[in-house]
């Protein structure tokens, strides 16, 4: 997911040319650790939300 987002944002901000792969790789090298950190930090909240939604879905 972080690779896709980095590619889209890089292409939108700098345009598509022969140097896009190099710019994308640099952007992804920054985005990936940030995405992993956010995923681990938000995991407990996401799990609670998923359990709550599952309970709501099984009631009806």
């Amino acid at each position: 997911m972080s690779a896709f987002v980095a590619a889209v944002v890089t292409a939108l901000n700098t345009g598509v040319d022969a140097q896009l792969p190099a710019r994308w790789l640099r952007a992804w090298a920054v985005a990936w650790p940030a995405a992993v950190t956010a995923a681990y930090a938000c995991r407990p909240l996401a799990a609670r939300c998923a359990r709550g939604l599952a309970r709501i879905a099984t009631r009806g």
Side-chain angles (χ1 to χ4, degrees):
M1 182 67 74
S2 64
F4 176 75
V5 172
V8 170
V9 171
T10 302
L12 287 173
N13 285 336
T14 63
V16 177
D17 60 14
Q19 296 303 313
L20 178 61
R23 290 191 310 270
W24 164 78
L25 191 56
R26 280 193 304 273
W28 181 67
V30 172
W32 183 81
V36 169
T37 302
Y40 281 116
C42 294
R43 187 206 171 282
L45 176 61
R48 281 195 306 272
C49 289
R51 281 193 299 272
L53 289 172
R55 272 190 234 120
I56 291 170
T58 58
R59 285 184 195 163

